[in-house]
Amino acid sequence: MNDVFAGKHLVLGLSGGVACYKSAMLCRLLVQAGATVQVVMTEAAEQFMTPVTMQALSGRAVYTSQWDAREPNNMPHINLSREADAILIAPCSADFIARLAQGRSDELLSLMCLARPIDKVPLVLAPAMNREMWTHPATQRNLSRVQYDGATVLGVGNGSQACGETGDGRMLEPEEIMEELAGVFTAKTLQGQHLLITAGPTFEAIDPVRGITNLSSGKMGFAIARAAKAAGAEVTLVAGPVHLPTPHGVTRINVQSARQMLDAVQSQVGNASIFIATAAVADWRPAEFSDQKIKKDGSGDVPAMAFVENPDILATVAQSDAAKYGNLYCVGFAAESHDLLKHASAKRLRKGVPLLVGNIGPATFGKDENALLLIDDNGTKELPHASKDALARQLVEEIAQRLPTVQGV
Ligand code: C5P
């Protein structure tokens, strides 16, 4: 997701709330991702976080007053809002939402929101408040109002709150806000599409403590899930055993074995319009599973082990389910160690998919970068070495262009 923010200029507005502590990390992440961040704080926000901290993290003096004489024209609300690619209010308190709903403008942050060029500068709100305040009809009414007026309102988290109560109203985590904000800067080329994607390795159990797996990290598949979500798709991610956080707003189904992965995919494929198989599915599994741990008996003999072939999830979906469900666009991956074009082209025909994405497996397993070779009926296209996030976004665009409904427009 990161290079979405490179070169972007964001105004990060803090209103009063305990969640201001998360905004320090959010600011840091945005700066690390290449954005310039101008922090604006309300008087209430200064009770929770000092401008000193936010200045240090953003590298820019914080604005707190509409009477700030540092601006030559003495109009910080105009200047700040004209420079911004987006204004993000995090945390956005119940009071601040009420102020926006009313179009109030008696302090810098609300004044700046009101003064922003409404068609050019998106306003994104990350609410944070006590659960009763969140569900109160006045807050919900104000939220509807500000959405109607063009603001993007992010969801809230559920859990224990600083007040000791438990429920809805926590501000999203900084990483989640980053993902949502990336969506604001992404064209909605997959709006209305439902993407089903497999990712990660499978684990084929030998006995209760052992099994066969592989080095797939799941990073490419998770990056595609994130990019597709940002492009407006509904996303269901069937994940093998990986330690990666679920992209915000993505439905995740965890599985272990190839057969569980096939079951999960087949239970979801009826709702999907795109299926992408990035998972490194084990080709074979032990023919027998031992209920008990296989013990060393001291004789030096090794246990005999027979294997059976796993179902090919992609081929099954592409060749039978796709026909059953009509307009399902299937994309396969091929991790090769050599002769990428030759092997990947053959694989595309064997699997029966319109688009096959080749990569050099050993060069990319576990890494944050990759390079892709796209193969379809019309030939090949290289997506050169880049971060998996950047490649995922490019791949999503390539898929969007190839969808039958889009081609027909
Ligand atoms: O045959 P190979 O494993 O190289 O094929 C790779 C492609 O097929 C990937 O898209 C992978 O997710 C998919 N695949 C699958 N089920 C298998 C094996 C591979 O879906 N059993």
Side-chain angles (χ1 to χ4, degrees), residues 125-165:
L125 314 178
M129 66 199 74
N130 164 268
R131 66 191 174 110
E132 300 289 0
M133 295 167 72
W134 173 250
T135 52
H136 195 286
T139 303
Q140 292 302 317
R141 192 168 61 237
N142 289 334
L143 283 167
S144 303
R145 183 77 241 172
V146 295
Q147 274 175 305
Y148 181 80
D149 289 345
T152 300
V153 179
L154 307 186
V156 289
N158 178 283
S160 70
Q161 305 197 313
C163 53
E165 297 179 3

Side-chain angles (χ1 to χ4, degrees), residues 198 277-279 281-283 310-314 332-334 347 350-351:
T198 65
T278 64
V281 184
D283 290 320
N310 266 328
D312 189 316
I313 300 167
L314 176 60
F333 266 69
K347 195 160 289 180
R350 204 167 60 241
K351 304 269 180 181

Side-chain angles (χ1 to χ4, degrees), residues 330-353:
C330 294
V331 182
F333 266 69
E336 307 293 341
S337 60
H338 60 285
D339 288 337
L340 183 57
L341 178 58
K342 188 174 117 200
H343 291 307
S345 301
K347 195 160 289 180
R348 186 176 84 90
L349 299 177
R350 204 167 60 241
K351 304 269 180 181
V353 294

